[in-house]
Amino acid sequence: MISEEKIRNLITRAIAARKKAYSPYSHYQVGAALLSEDGQVFSGCNIENAAYSPTICAERTAFFKAVSEGNRGFLAIAITGSPAGEEITQFAYPCGVCRQVMMEFCNPAAFLIIVAKSPEEYRCMTLQECLPDGFGPANLG
Ligand code: THU
């Protein structure tokens, strides 16, 4: 179980990461903060590209930073997303591609996805709830 204090701290990190979003095309800013099993937090933002398809989501930025630093066990991710501006007006759920990347490194029954408007206003769900019957490493035997 993750304490409410840890959840709020993770959301604060995601809000800060969103400020780094590079999104001159969509003007949609996303920040994520990923908590590893050993207590480290890896943040990420979306990074867009003039050729569009090389764009990467905030969640995958955070995952790839963490994995490239040797981390493979994760407990939770906080996500904040909204059109450009200071105010976060909506709950931003992760896209299908990011859910699949989570499936690669996380226990679907335990990994917590936190979508937040603020450290006080958030929703939590497991990866299993977000991606029912997901395909993962276990399928390959
Ligand atoms: N985006 C994310 O960063 N995460 C998501 O889960 C959904 C979408 C980004 C990609 C793109 O830069 C912008 O939001 C609009 O799609």
Side-chain angles (χ1 to χ4, degrees):
M1 266 294 280
I2 301 171
S3 68
E4 198 164 309
E5 191 193 343
K6 275 197 175 143
I7 289 176
R8 288 184 179 190
N9 176 52
L10 214 52
I11 294 169
T12 301
R13 295 286 301 270
I15 291 169
R18 181 174 167 268
K19 294 199 168 80
K20 304 277 197 302
Y22 175 74
S23 54
Y25 308 107
S26 75
H27 306 290
Y28 190 83
Q29 301 173 319
V30 188
L34 176 64
L35 178 65
S36 69
E37 274 171 1
D38 61 4
Q40 294 182 77
V41 176
F42 295 88
S43 64
C45 62
N46 54 329
I47 305 169
E48 298 188 346
N49 189 279
Y52 288 25
S53 65
T55 291
I56 188 164
C57 292
E59 298 92 320
R60 273 176 293 142
T61 302
F63 265 91
F64 296 159
K65 279 172 68 178
V67 173
S68 66
E69 304 262 322
N71 296 274
R72 292 192 183 166
F74 304 102
L75 297 176
I77 190 167
I79 306 164
T80 56
S82 263
E86 282 295 308
E87 209 192 341
I88 299 169
T89 54
Q90 57 184 248
F91 292 111
Y93 289 82
C95 81
V97 173
C98 289
R99 293 178 199 204
Q100 186 62 39
V101 168
M102 293 173 194
M103 192 70 200
E104 189 65 29
F105 296 106
C106 307
N107 173 354
F111 185 71
L112 209 60
I113 296 170
I114 303 151
V115 292
K117 289 188 189 175
S118 74
E120 290 77 40
E121 198 178 357
Y122 61 87
R123 296 176 184 165
C124 295
M125 71 224 83
T126 63
L127 176 57
Q128 196 163 62
E129 288 170 314
C130 256
L131 188 64
D133 303 318
F135 186 89
N139 291 94
L140 298 177

